[in-house]
Structures are given as C-alpha cells and as structure tokens.
Amino acid sequence: MKPERILTPQELFLKKQRKKKLQIRAARVFLLIAFLALWEISAALGWIDSFIFSSPSRVVETFWTMCLGQQLLVHIGITLAETLISFFLVILFGIGFAVLLWLCPRFSAVMEPYLVVLNSLPKSAMAPLLIVWLGANMRTIVVAGMSVAIFGSIISLYSGFQEVDPDAVKLIYTLGGKKKDTLFKVILPSSVPFLLSTFKVNIGLCLVGVVIGEFIGARSGLGYLIIYGSQVFQLNMVIMCILVLCIIATLLYVAVSVLEKQYLKRH
Amino acid sequence: MEPLLELKNISLSYHTMEGETPALTDINFSIGEGEFVALVGPSGCGKSTILNLISGLLQPEQGEILIKGEPLSHSLVNIGYMLQRDHLFEWRTVFSNILLGLEIQHGVTREKKEKAEEMMRTYGLEDFKNARPSQLSGGMRQRAALIRTLVLEPALVLLDEPFSALDYQTRLLVSDDIGKIIRREGKTALLVTHDISEAISMADRVLVLTKRPAHIQAELPLTFAMEDRTPMACRNAPEFKTYFNQIWKELNQNET
Ligand SMILES: Nc1ncnc2c1ncn2[C@@H]1O[C@H](COP(=O)(O)OP(=O)(O)OP(=O)(O)O)[C@@H](O)[C@H]1O
Ligand SMILES: [Mg+2]
C-alpha cells in the first residue's frame, strides 16, 4: 500500500473548497429530484388532484406529443423570435436615447421625471391599449416586450455614462478632442461591461413583456398557449408551457452571461 | 526675446449656487522657450485652475493669455497636459493609447507612428507595445502617458502633480525619469506640485502662490553649479537646502 502523503495547508484548503462546492451542487440536484418525485407520487396516490396540478410524467407526455405535432416548436420559435427582436430593439433604442440624454444635459433634465414615471408604471396595464392601438399582431407583441425593458435600460445606461471618471473625459479635451471624441473614445468603450450586465437583466424582462402581450392579443406563442390551455382546462399544457418558459429564460440569461464573460476575459 | 507663454492680469472666480469662490487674482508671469517652471502653493489655492486656463479648458474672467505673442484662442500651438493620473485606457493596447491624441486630431500618419515607436524604444517601452496598460509598472505608465503627450509635439507641456499618485520611492525614480525626458526633448514645461523638493529638483524657476484667491507671492530662479543637471543630482547638491528653506519660508508667510 502506498503511504498517504501529507497534504500541505494550501492543498487541504483547496480540497475543502472543492468538497464544499460538490456538496452544494449535489444538494441542488437532490432538491430538484425530490421535488419532482414528491409531485409525481402525490399525483399518483391522489394526494393532489392531478387534473389541476398535473404531474411530471403528464407534463413530459404532453411535451412529447406536442413536439411530434410540431405545433409546440412553432410556438416556442415565435415567442423566442419576438423576445430577441424586442431585445435588440431595446439595445438599439436604449443606447441611442441614453446617448442623446448624455449629449444634451438640459434635455435629460427635462425628461428625467417622465422617464421615472414611465419606468415605474406597471407595463402590463398598457398591453390592452397597445392591442387596440396597434392591432393583434406580432408588432404589438414586440412593442409590449420592449415596453417592459426600455425605460429601465435608458435610465441605467444614462446613469452609467455619467459615472465615467470626469478626469478621463478631461483627458480627451486636453488632447484636443470635442464632445464627440469623449463619447466614442471614453464613454462608450468604458461602458461596455456595464452595458452587458444591463442587458443580462433586460433579456428576461423582454420575455416577460412578450408573454404579457401574447396573453392578450396573440394567436400563437407560449403566452397564447397558456391562456388557451387554461380556457379549455388543459392544465398539463399550461404547466408544460410555464416550464418551457423557465428553461428559455434561463438559457437567454446564460447566453448573455457567456458573452459577458468572454468580453471580460479578453480585456 | 519674446516669451513662449505670458499670463497678464488673470483673474477668475468660480460661480455656484452656494456663492462665488474667487480662485485667482491678478496673476502675472511668463515662461521662456525651453524653460522648466514649477508652481507651488497650498492645496486648493488654484494651481489646477491656472493650468486649465492655459490649456484652454477654462476662459479667464479678466486678463489675457498669450502664446508666442498671440492670444490663446487664436493660437494653433499644441499644448500638452499631463494629469495626476495617467488614464491609460485598459481597452486599448499601450501603443494605441499613445496614439490616442493623434487619432483625435486626425494626425495618425506613418511618420508619426514611427516617431511614437521610436520614443517607445528610447524610453524602454518597446516590449510592451501590444501589452495592456495594467501590465506596466507605475513608472512605465507615467512614461507612456508622457509619450502620449509628446507625440503631439506640444510647444508647452503642463504637468499637474503627475507623480502624486505614486508611492514615495517610485515617485523619486519617475520624477527623475520624466524630468530627464522633458529636458532631453527640449520641451518647455510648467509643473504643478505640492512637493517643494520635487519643484527644486526639476525646475529652473519656482513660482510660489499664496492661498486662495491666489496671486504670485514670490519668484525664485534656481541655479545649480553642476554640469549635467538631473533631478537626482539636484537633490544632493549643496544649493538644495538653501532653496528649500527659502520656498518653505515663502509658503509659510501665507499662513499668518
Ligand atoms: N468647478 C468648480 N466650481 C467651483 N469651485 C471650484 C471648481 N473647481 C475648483 N474650485 C475651487 O477653486 C479652488 C481652486 O481649485 P484648484 O483645483 O485650482 O486648486 P489646486 O491648487 O489645484 O488644488 P489641489 O492642491 O487640491 O490640487 C478650490 O478651492 C476649489 O474648491
Ligand atoms: Mg489641483
């Protein structure tokens, strides 16, 4: 038998940390499995009404049959497309408007109270109005998605621009630059990490807005399926759609996080 | 001979909602071509304000500033300005940081690039051309910042406490270094500092300011009986102590 080598304090520390990480991960997986098992068993034994609460096996079954019928994939694709379109429009308009505010402090002073009010307004209250104004089509859903994220991102981008070190801005002027140069050489490049972390939050908000829009005025998409399912008492379908939304939201967040990590690693 | 820079009866107050802060009253001085002048004064007396005026970032309320006999606003002369912190941008390489000023002034040409490269070689930065600023030591960063200023070929270099963010030991080395570079390139310079010994070791002439609102309390030409003048050598020269005491006395006259 090989004699056990005595570990250095550093190795001991690392070993302990690894063990802690492993335990946390195991506990997470366990929690998920326990929840699913409890759900399945209570439905099978009749502790809960599986017609209302469904069960993991029914959810998987519904998922599978709807996937085979292709319709689920179409709905997922539509919701995803609407979310991504509204997300990119939020990026575009968010940055554009924040730059405008930054370029013109007087304009931003005028706009400030309006932005704060619009941002704190519950956007779901606007959705029915949007449908009436813009019609029940994809454009409305995209606008609903944008409405949830846009004001918050303008406000946080603008305050991010203002937090850039004034001495770094002064440097540009001492090198003979104009306001335009401070924007392109300092403000925008130094805000990139901040932009990425703002967008990480916003992509989830866009999804929320899109689903709200689909609740009210759509013939397709996961939000529509949820409303439709609840009206015809197909709660298996409703719960399955909610779980799919969960997964989509997580994947979108992870996608932006990966971009962010990539960027931070390069710089 | 006509001086390179002339300040005539400059006065300026800052205005805020809380009230008026008189910063400068009746400032007069001039700097000759190739001269190295240091500006010392109590903190908050208006030293940075003077540099901001000369660089054109601020306009005086009274008086005028002449560069080579012409009013500052009409002059096409480039004025370099080194701030307290180097502000090398982390998202650029060292080389592209050095080219920043040229980029802004649309002056990036092959010759200028070659000149920048040559300066990096001369001052020991060539191996870090494509490095990120965070890979440089404090002294190298300050040198890179100086090269960024010098590639614009300024007729006058303003330095606002450029070493105060460094620890003491680095500070001695870097001020020695930067002082040598500026003399070697034959630049006219105006250095603002809190540090009396730094002023004596680097400058040909020291201007002492009063506390706010600042005016010029005294003007002290420094001469050293040595051949090759370097900041380090000045610190050990016999004249150093005399000058130090003179400036110290002038500064403390303000206090009472
Ligand atoms: N933008 C401003 N608005 C109002 N007051 C100002 C402004 N800038 C400077 N001051 C005031 O004017 C005075 C002179 O400022 P300045 O920065 O020129 O001093 P300084 O000698 O460079 O100080 P320090 O030694 O701290 O660098 C200070 O008392 C400061 O409070
Ligand atoms: Mg200052």
Side-chain angles (χ1 to χ4, degrees), chain B residues 21-89:
Chain B
T21 315
L24 307 173
T25 50
D26 204 24
I27 300 276
N28 287 289
F29 68 87
S30 56
I31 301 180
E33 190 96 47
E35 211 182 359
F36 197 130
V37 176
L39 201 56
V40 297
S43 75
C45 74
K47 303 181 293 292
S48 302
T49 305
I50 293 179
L51 296 195
N52 289 343
L53 283 168
I54 297 171
S55 68
L57 297 177
L58 276 178
Q59 309 301 324
E61 288 183 326
Q62 276 169 39
E64 58 176 347
I65 300 175
L66 302 177
I67 300 269
K68 295 185 174 159
E70 271 191 85
L72 182 64
S73 49
H74 299 217
S75 156
L76 294 172
V77 176
N78 239 326
I79 294 177
Y81 195 163
M82 254 183 102
L83 304 171
Q84 187 168 6
R85 286 190 295 137
D86 51 62
H87 287 296
L88 296 172
F89 296 140

Side-chain angles (χ1 to χ4, degrees), chain A residues 165-178 180-182 184-191 263 266-267, chain B residues 48 52 55 57 78-81 83-87 89-92 100-101 103-106 132 148-149 152 160:
Chain A
D165 189 341
D167 258 10
V169 175
K170 182 175 171 184
L171 170 76
I172 301 295
Y173 287 116
T174 67
L175 293 172
K178 301 272 176 311
K180 170 189 107 224
D181 300 301
T182 69
F184 289 113
K185 307 286 184 205
V186 185
I187 304 282
L188 288 180
S190 69
S191 300
Y263 178 83
R266 270 194 301 125
H267 290 271
Chain B
S48 302
N52 289 343
S55 68
L57 297 177
N78 239 326
I79 294 177
Y81 195 163
L83 304 171
Q84 187 168 6
R85 286 190 295 137
D86 51 62
H87 287 296
F89 296 140
E90 201 49 42
W91 57 85
R92 287 170 167 260
L100 181 64
E103 234 172 72
I104 287 172
Q105 303 189 0
H106 305 292
R132 296 283 158 186
R148 179 179 63 195
T149 309
L152 294 173
D160 194 354

Side-chain angles (χ1 to χ4, degrees), chain B residues 224-230 233-235 237 239:
Chain B
F224 286 88
M226 68 176 87
E227 304 233 313
D228 239 348
R229 190 183 156 179
T230 69
C234 287
R235 287 178 193 264
E239 299 94 331

